[in-house]
Amino acid sequence: MNNTYDVIVIGSGPGGKSVASSLASKNKKVAVIENDLWGGTCPNKGCDPKKMMVSAVEAQSMAHQMQEKGITATPSINWDDLMRFKKSYTDSVPEKSQQSLVSAGADTFYGTAEFTDEKTVKVNDDTLSAERFIIATGAHPNILDIDGKEHFLTSDDFLSLSDMPETITFIGGGYIAFEFAAIASATGAKVHVIQHDSAPLKQFDQEFVEVVMEQLKSNGVSFHLNTNITKIKKESDSYLLTDDGDFSLKTDLVFGTTGRAPSIDKLNLEKAGVDYDKKGIKVDDYLQTSNPSVYALGDVLSKEQPKLTPVSSLEAGYLTDQFLSGKLNKINYPSIPSIVFTSPKLAKVGVSVEEAESDKNNYKIRELDATDFFTYLRKNEPVSKVKVVIDDEKKQVVGATCINNEADELINYFSILINKKVKIEDLSDIVFAYPSTASDLSYFYR
């Protein structure tokens, strides 16, 4: 079978699915190739099922905070029920995702795409060619290359655990480890997080990271910093973790949470003339690779922007517009929020505190302990802190970091203020519902 298309999209995650559906609905001849679950990581085994599980932690945390404030018991988390709840959403995702592509008019192929030349790919027994390709294959869990690495489980495995063990360990102190640690500890598991240096969640303000760590410690999470695990040994029904010194730890399960790697190793990019590095596929300001017929988007890219689902969707919208309009405009990334769904949540957007401290002529930093703000006081939250970076000349917020249970909502408000360049006088003209997270916004300018 030999087919020629206007566009072939490799990968059916949120970005790939979006651009493919949009182009196909505009009468472009589109093919989509997928070698795993239709719909990609986010809805199947990433942000969506994770957030469903976080919902149970949020409910438990709220009940715990309100002890002796009207609530008399803290609920426990039933892992079986929680997994059934998660599966009630994820089980139907692949079929619905593929069907939505077909309904939009795209052809779908299941298998691994391999470039055979600059304008041709092979999928199983099918050879497909196109004028343009979009690579949207995303990323996969990175496995630390140590003795016993075959014993590592990944984030995919955590989100499919049939039972929560008594002891669980995460090697790597990034956002995945912190989020899963919060979930596991809320179920009653003894949790360990091991980080090779002294700076977990290094992309976030370390003062706030320490606050998150203290809250997680109070829930039974143990952190082992400056610990470089070099060996995992299976011992009966457990695993022994050791370093080159005297550190040792027994655990029921061990998860590798040392980041994610771009899913490019099976694409035969050399035959397509597509350049890449260890961070992913290289693209220009138009998301075009070294092969002018091939574009790329999402987590597979080698880029400075956060590798997040909303960023992939932004890039998909950009490519759709470029392909349909024939325009040649550079992609413009706004300030992008990042969130760690721990308990409490940690979030940031825009100019960091570190950047602001190195340029005090242009920025000033406001630090607020908002624990006594009514928004947080009424729910008896143990901690609520915010750092805001202000362009003093323009009187505009240009960056923010926050830690509280509403950080996911609050950081989105800050994103609007930053990207729309809202000044204090503009904000004062808006009446927000009170009491609410939004009604506090004006306080962060003062």
Side-chain angles (χ1 to χ4, degrees), residues 10-11 16 134-140 260-267 269 274-283 287 289 294-303 305-308 312 315:
I10 306 174
I134 300 173
I135 299 174
T137 48
H140 58 272
R260 296 175 67 81
S263 298
I264 58 177
D265 55 315
K266 298 178 181 178
L267 290 172
L269 294 177
V274 172
D275 292 339
Y276 62 93
D277 58 25
K278 65 179 181 180
K279 292 172 60 179
I281 294 175
K282 297 180 179 180
V283 294
L287 300 184
T289 72
V294 179
Y295 297 75
L297 63 81
D299 292 1
V300 77
L301 295 183
S302 177
K303 61 181 179 181
Q305 289 77 22
K307 294 189 175 185
L308 302 170
S312 299
E315 292 162 348

Side-chain angles (χ1 to χ4, degrees), residues 103-148:
S103 297
D107 292 341
T108 59
F109 295 83
Y110 187 79
T112 299
E114 300 177 66
F115 280 97
T116 57
D117 61 39
E118 293 185 348
K119 288 193 174 184
T120 310
V121 293
K122 184 177 180 181
V123 190
N124 301 321
D125 295 328
D126 295 314
T127 299
L128 314 177
S129 59
E131 287 301 310
R132 287 171 166 169
F133 291 82
I134 300 173
I135 299 174
T137 48
H140 58 272
N142 181 57
I143 300 299
L144 198 62
D145 189 13
I146 61 174
D147 187 5

Side-chain angles (χ1 to χ4, degrees), residues 302-330:
S302 177
K303 61 181 179 181
E304 297 304 318
Q305 289 77 22
K307 294 189 175 185
L308 302 170
T309 296
V311 183
S312 299
S313 298
L314 173 75
E315 292 162 348
Y318 165 81
L319 283 180
T320 299
D321 181 64
Q322 296 293 97
F323 285 12
L324 293 176
S325 68
K327 297 176 183 177
L328 197 62
N329 299 320
K330 293 181 180 180

Side-chain angles (χ1 to χ4, degrees), residues 104 193 224 385 421 443:
V193 177
H224 309 275
K385 295 178 180 292
K421 298 180 172 57
Y443 294 111

Side-chain angles (χ1 to χ4, degrees), residues 5-21:
Y5 291 88
D6 296 318
V7 180
I8 293 176
V9 180
I10 306 174
S12 70
K17 179 171 167 283
S18 174
V19 70
S21 297

